[in-house]
Amino acid sequence: SSHIPVITIDGPTASGKGTVAAKVAERLGFHLLDSGALYRLTALSSMRAGVSLIDEHAVAQLAEALPARFANGDIFLGEEEVGAVIRAEEVGNNASKIAALPAVRQALYALQLAFRKAPGLVADGRDMGTVIFPNAKLKVFLTASVEARAERRYKQLIDKGISANMEGLLADLQARDERDTHRTVAPLVPAEGAYILDTSDMTVDVAVEQVLHWYSLL
Ligand code: CDP
Ligand code: CDP
């Protein structure tokens, strides 16, 4: 399947990867891989199973047998739709902890490759261009200032009726950036040849058009 085109969109939390990736996939009629959801599902499974988040072997076993299913924007863990549940900040923070365990990343590797199906795939995460799809046709690294990203998260939570505290969000976001950037396996860095897009002062639609434009030039 290595001839099937892949567009990778990596970047830090709340840079807009998920939103931009979904729109680009829709415009091109491509499949979508929200790789962060797999780490979030693994974190949720671990929390529910009462497994310690530093027990690499136990967490990797859960990842290996992850009953994850994606259907029309819904995310299932077994029979349960958990799309909203896994968006909680606590699950995101725990996802970033278990994502630093090499055996967990290894356990999720084959599952991610299987998303590469005709006519193409848009994959978003941290290591889509560096580790999972190094031969992707187009690699994008989305960024935005930490302030812009904290504001986006804040707005997302308020819109969902969840109370949020800006200072706490900013601190969580910086802690997550720190962990994701400095871990030894698959750290968050732009892939070789990646196009860097700073969306601090950019709307989602402009970012989507830029990615489509780059793709059209290949
Ligand atoms: O939406 P947000 O960027 O906050 O998070 P996400 O993409 O859903 O990913 C949650 C966590 O999973 C991140 O903080 C990363 O530590 C981890 N992750 C990863 O290590 N590799 C990926 N390809 C995707 C996510
Ligand atoms: O997936 P990731 O954590 O990188 O971010 P997201 O959940 O896709 O986007 C975070 C929020 O920022 C969403 O509500 C987007 O609509 C918003 N956003 C924005 O306001 N401007 C952009 N250029 C990109 C995203």
Side-chain angles (χ1 to χ4, degrees), residues 113-211:
L113 291 188
F115 278 78
R116 188 173 200 165
K117 286 186 289 197
L121 174 69
V122 182
D124 89 88
R126 300 291 186 293
D127 63 342
M128 296 298 97
T130 50
V131 176
I132 309 295
F133 302 109
N135 64 349
K137 198 163 171 195
L138 172 66
K139 299 178 185 184
V140 177
F141 191 84
L142 271 194
T143 65
S145 68
V146 69
E147 293 79 13
R149 292 186 286 122
E151 262 169 49
R152 288 173 188 174
R153 269 290 178 268
Y154 184 82
K155 195 168 170 307
Q156 273 181 318
L157 291 170
I158 298 300
D159 286 351
K160 282 190 283 188
I162 301 169
S163 71
N165 154 290
M166 193 58 161
E167 255 168 59
L169 267 182
L170 207 76
D172 274 357
L173 209 130
Q174 278 164 329
R176 195 117 74 89
D177 280 0
E178 178 71 20
R179 258 200 309 273
D180 291 349
T181 313
H182 296 289
R183 67 188 177 206
T184 46
V185 283
L188 175 67
V189 284
E192 206 181 308
Y195 290 75
I196 308 226
L197 189 57
D198 186 329
T199 67
S200 301
D201 302 303
M202 199 179 277
T203 63
V204 170
D205 288 341
V206 171
V208 168
E209 291 309 324
Q210 178 62 257
V211 174

Side-chain angles (χ1 to χ4, degrees), residues 31-34 38 70 110-117 120-121 133:
H31 298 280
L32 179 66
L33 167 59
D34 171 3
L38 299 177
F70 297 82
L111 183 56
Q112 295 175 85
L113 291 188
F115 278 78
R116 188 173 200 165
K117 286 186 289 197
L121 174 69
F133 302 109

